[in-house]
Amino acid sequence: MTSSTSSYLVGLIGSGIGPSLSPALHEREADHHGLRLVYRTIDLDRLGLGAADVGELVRTAGRLGYDGLNITYPGKQTVIPHLDGLSEDAGALGAVNTVVFGPDGSSRGHNTDGSGFAESFARGMEGAPTGRVVQLGAGGAGAAVAHAMLTLGAGRLTLIDSDPGRASALAADLAVRFGADRACAAPREHLAPLLAKADGLVHATPTGMAHHPGLPFPAELLHPGLWIADVVYRPIDTELLRRARAVGCRTLDGGGMAVHQAAHAFELFTGRQPDSDRMLAHMATLVAAPSGVPSCAPPSPPSPSAEL
């Protein structure tokens, strides 16, 4: 469906999102469609707010005339009670990364993280074995990529999270949808033996972001028979990916997921079909430029943190 509207105001709510490439991705794609799209960042850190405040920010954006919002860490789950409705995917995942406002101001939550990760993995990890996969992180992004991995055919997905209850709850949800033998939760201390036998690792925690530098686990646990898929894309080349490549692991960065989820969100906002390949090329230009900004554009204000 093609929208008759030619002007849009959208935004991103999250923590430490100063370096986000979402504004540039959406605005550049809108230019190709002859649309006027303004994309603003609403940084919780700069406002002194937290996850509990995301719902009120969404309501305020609706009153101010926003057409839609993206939601990132830490609000993908806390925003749900404040929305008027959910898409099937968002309801199944229990997480929202895209909100679309209707003409009457009503808010509907969607999730494009899962489809974005699935498309990125299918393109970038073709032929990778998925019999035994370990996933670190069971939050908003983690729920989406876990569903995506099982939809793609992963035989057994083991979830580990800093909050064991959250991992167990997600595993239970996955078992209902995919079968009891497809997903389980494990304590953090089991990570080493699990990775030793796993085909791959999906990393879905904030560790590795500019605001959360470092490794999510000791590098000694990496081995050449393990592929690594990272959800983090700012920076695009995380320490985890660098260490993994150094020992011979096949790797997938978070850039593809970021682009494909953005493309799906763009279609929800505008009703226009985006060109994913064009957006991937634009992403490559952005991450190659100093500070992620093309040389022909003025730099954004510096920020010590990044978006998940």
Side-chain angles (χ1 to χ4, degrees), residues 97-151:
N97 80 324
T98 302
V99 176
V100 177
F101 295 106
D104 60 352
S106 61
S107 56
R108 182 171 176 82
H110 301 260
N111 193 301
T112 67
D113 280 336
S115 58
F117 179 84
E119 192 164 347
S120 176
F121 192 91
R123 288 189 179 204
M125 284 293 207
E126 184 178 2
T130 57
R132 290 178 291 190
V133 179
V134 176
Q135 179 175 309
L136 279 181
V145 298
H147 277 77
M149 281 305 309
L150 291 176
T151 300

Side-chain angles (χ1 to χ4, degrees), residues 153-173:
R156 179 77 166 178
L157 182 68
T158 302
L159 302 165
I160 298 176
D161 193 87
S162 57
D163 179 349
R166 184 163 61 179
S168 296
L170 177 55
D173 288 342

